[in-house]
Amino acid sequence: MAAPVQQSSQPVGGKRKGKAQFLPAKRARRCDAGGPRQLEPGLQGILITCNMNERKCVEEAYSLLNEYGDDMYGPEKFIDKDQQHSGSEGEDDDVEAALKKEVGDIKASTEMRLRRFQSMESGANNVVFIRTLGIEPEKLVHHILQDMYKTKKKKTRVILRMLPISGTCKAFLEDMKKYAETFLEPWFKAPNKGTFQIVYKSRNNSHMNREEVIKELAGIVGSLNSENKVDLTNPEYTVVVEIIKAVCCLSVVKDYVLFRKYNLQEVVKSQEVVKSAKDSQPHPKLGNGKEAKLEPDLELNQNDPSDGKNNQQGAPESSEEPEQRKPRSETQAGSEEEVKPELESQVSEGSKPKESELS
């Protein structure tokens, strides 16, 4: 039997294969648990910024969100595939009904396998998007920041900001206006009202204008209720607009200024700074009068031994100085009197030869 002829990898003519032969993999892949792997319109979740380490950021986000998610919504529940398909094992004569049931089972199994938190590609560097399912992201993130603000415990090292995203749409002005009209109603439509500000951030997008977006959204908020007022110092609500490529992420949050723009690092740091500033402030009695000024000084002298020693060394010197100055002044006065006649005699003697010379 003849051996098969080996075909050379080099094509005829000595030309290499073009780069079109190697097609890149699709980025919007479907994961095993179902659902998209890339940020797209129609999602809810949490937008997290990190410091040059996205993998560590995802680990910290899962740990933090699962900890507080279990406290607010209970532990996450899963259903095995065997238990799910046990009710669909009956034989059906109708083929069409059997196909519909099979499709329904596949969809149900996919929904059951979806996790409460799922990491997705955001489309920007140092930004991670965590898709949420069955929870309210704005309440969860507010609970996390409120707890860290009170306990003053630092629980993350890589995560910087954590912004809840209540809805996403296409990043085009007409689409954003249409989506915002219904999205902003729970907070600003009469009888609801409040002060607000709009925070805008764009990444990897060049066709959106910041001033136009803020102007249109502010007009929508004003049209929902004329009593809604703009407050840029300490507003009750903050409308967060985050644009990444062709996706617009929207949310309405509270305590945006108090929680340092929802920065987990600054929330803890601000508490430490405030505490150190309070410790460094003088006693409140210091500015109320002369008596109040004397009291803390006496207490400091009693508590600090170093200050007491300095005061004790300073007191005798000041008490001895007047006694020592008196004899010194008398001796100095006597010496001056003795010196004066000597000077006078020298002057008179020195003046005589001058007179003889002149004569």
Side-chain angles (χ1 to χ4, degrees), residues 183-203:
F183 175 80
L184 298 174
E185 288 181 356
W187 295 276
F188 300 108
K189 188 176 181 180
N192 299 325
K193 63 179 180 178
T195 58
F196 71 96
Q197 69 172 351
I198 298 174
V199 179
Y200 177 90
K201 177 68 176 179
S202 177
R203 296 179 178 90

Side-chain angles (χ1 to χ4, degrees), residues 97-109:
L99 289 175
K100 289 182 179 180
K101 183 177 289 187
E102 185 176 359
V103 171
D105 293 341
I106 292 173
K107 290 182 179 180
S109 64

Side-chain angles (χ1 to χ4, degrees), residues 131-150:
R131 177 190 53 76
T132 59
L133 184 65
I135 65 172
E136 297 179 2
E138 62 276 2
K139 291 185 178 180
L140 178 61
V141 175
H142 189 275
H143 176 65
I144 293 173
L145 288 164
Q146 189 175 16
D147 183 68
M148 295 180 67
Y149 183 82
K150 291 181 179 179

Side-chain angles (χ1 to χ4, degrees), residues 88-106:
S88 62
E89 293 178 354
E91 295 180 357
D92 294 327
D93 297 334
D94 192 358
V95 179
E96 186 178 356
L99 289 175
K100 289 182 179 180
K101 183 177 289 187
E102 185 176 359
V103 171
D105 293 341
I106 292 173

Side-chain angles (χ1 to χ4, degrees), residues 4-73:
V5 179
Q6 295 181 356
Q7 297 179 356
S8 60
S9 59
Q10 188 74 12
V12 180
K15 295 182 179 180
R16 295 182 180 179
K17 292 183 179 180
K19 292 184 178 180
Q21 298 291 334
F22 305 96
L23 298 176
K26 293 182 179 180
R27 296 191 63 185
R29 294 173 297 175
R30 299 281 174 174
C31 61
D32 296 336
R37 292 283 297 182
Q38 191 175 11
L39 180 61
E40 62 183 20
L43 296 177
Q44 285 187 343
I46 301 170
L47 195 69
I48 301 173
T49 61
C50 60
N51 190 7
M52 301 299 292
N53 195 341
E54 295 184 12
R55 189 170 184 177
K56 182 67 175 177
C57 175
V58 173
E59 294 177 1
E60 289 185 353
Y62 280 152
S63 177
L64 190 67
L65 294 175
N66 286 322
E67 177 186 352
Y68 287 93
D70 293 343
D71 293 339
M72 293 185 66
Y73 302 98

Side-chain angles (χ1 to χ4, degrees), residues 12 16 37 41 56 65 70 112 126 142 144 153 160-161 177 207 216 230 256 274 283 316-317 329-330 335:
V12 180
R16 295 182 180 179
R37 292 283 297 182
K56 182 67 175 177
L65 294 175
D70 293 343
M112 284 302 187
N126 300 325
H142 189 275
I144 293 173
K153 291 182 180 180
L160 298 179
R161 299 178 67 193
K177 289 169 59 177
H207 67 272
E216 293 294 338
V230 177
Y256 188 75
V274 170
H283 198 272
E317 290 179 0
S329 60
E330 292 176 357
S335 61

